[in-house]
Structures are given as C-alpha cells and as structure tokens.
Amino acid sequence: MGIDEGNQLTTGGTATTSTTVLSRSRPTNRRRRALTGAVVVMSAVLLSACWSSNQDKDLGFINQARRQNGRAAVNGDADLMRRAQAWAEHLANIGRLEHSGGNGGVNTSGIANWCGVAENVGFASSTWATHQAFMGSSGHRANVLGNYDRVGTGVVRRGDIVWVVELYVRSC
C-alpha cells in the first residue's frame, strides 16, 4: 500500500455562474424544435457528468466516513471527477505517487469558485483498502473529514494495484 502525506492548500479562487430561464406556454413548431434541441444538449451535458462505479464507490466511502464522524456529505463534482480520474490514470501509468501540482502541491488551475483545496493520492489492493489507509493517516483523514463541500475521485486498477485520487474543494 502506498499513500503520500495529506496535502492542503487555501487561497482565493474565481467564481463562475450560469442561469437558464425557460418559459411555459403552448409550444409552436419552432418552439418544439428549440425544446428538442435543448433536450439533446442537456442530455449530452448530463451524460458527460457521469463517472464510473468505482469513482462512485470511493465517494460512498468518503461520505460514510463523514457521516460516522458527524460531518456533512460532500457532493461529487463532475469536473473534479474528471480531473481526479485523469490524475489517477497518470499515476497508474507512471507507477508512482505524486501530487498534481508537483513538489507536493495541488494543481488548482481551472478549478472554479474555490477557497480551499486538498488532495489525497494513494494505492493499495482495493479502493476500500486505500480508503482505510487514508483514514489511518492523520493528514489524509483530515482531508476526508475536512471543511469541504465538493469532491472528485479517481480510481484506476492496474493488475493487483488500485490507484486512488481524491480532490477536495471548499467553495467560496
């Protein structure tokens, strides 16, 4: 099993917002086509927000630990899930642990609306074994139970090794 030291970073971030307004009236052919187009676009957006069952399993382990320790659940964030999964794939490919920002840091470029960020990286024989290792390390445990509201998880199996990345974010 391998884990690094828990890594945290706190500083300011940027905010991004988006609003969609739909009105309800009797649809015309033009409105039906527009509505159909909107449904197709929304379906594509929702499908792109999907993550793997292994990523969801790790999210479940995180929230179970948080509940058991009186903490609110963190929400899986599609962008953070993609980032964490890509980093877990990178770690599995190079066969060693390192943080996404190099030199023990966290790469925060492109993360919207953040005031605090932490990252756990590790590997073991299973996602559960890696989670248990995180919970047995004070720095990693602090990240799992920390003051965060969003998370991305990445899980990759290479042979008998499962590589796990957890990216925690506290929104501003």
Side-chain angles (χ1 to χ4, degrees):
M1 147 187 53
I3 58 175
D4 72 316
E5 293 183 23
N7 198 342
Q8 298 180 7
L9 179 63
T10 302
T11 185
T14 59
T16 303
T17 61
S18 174
T19 304
T20 302
V21 178
L22 297 175
S23 63
R24 187 176 179 117
S25 62
R26 187 171 185 180
T28 63
N29 284 338
R30 190 167 132 205
R31 282 191 179 160
R32 281 188 194 116
R33 284 191 299 271
L35 184 57
T36 300
V39 168
V40 168
V41 168
M42 289 303 296
S43 296
V45 167
L46 289 174
L47 288 175
S48 70
C50 293
W51 47 77
S52 76
S53 62
N54 286 328
Q55 288 175 281
D56 195 52
K57 184 186 300 185
D58 190 42
L59 175 59
F61 294 153
I62 291 165
N63 281 327
Q64 177 184 17
R66 292 177 66 86
R67 274 191 306 278
Q68 290 171 344
N69 288 275
R71 303 295 306 196
V74 288
N75 296 311
D77 178 285
D79 181 56
L80 297 176
M81 289 287 192
R82 282 189 295 275
R83 292 171 70 96
Q85 184 64 26
W87 195 249
E89 289 170 7
H90 168 76
L91 297 178
N93 289 336
I94 66 171
R96 69 176 186 273
L97 293 176
E98 61 184 26
H99 281 285
S100 60
N103 295 323
V106 180
N107 179 2
T108 60
S109 66
I111 298 176
N113 187 34
W114 69 274
C115 286
V117 177
E119 180 178 67
N120 287 346
V121 296
F123 65 88
S125 60
S126 68
T127 307
W128 175 245
T130 308
H131 175 73
Q132 289 179 307
F134 287 156
M135 294 305 289
S137 158
S138 61
H140 294 91
R141 181 183 179 88
N143 290 344
V144 172
L145 302 178
N147 185 22
Y148 302 105
D149 59 339
R150 298 182 286 155
V151 69
T153 61
V155 180
V156 174
R157 175 175 287 282
R158 287 287 196 277
D160 293 339
I161 298 174
V162 177
W163 299 84
V164 177
V165 172
E166 298 172 347
L167 182 57
Y168 296 91
V169 173
R170 181 176 61 252
S171 301
C172 295

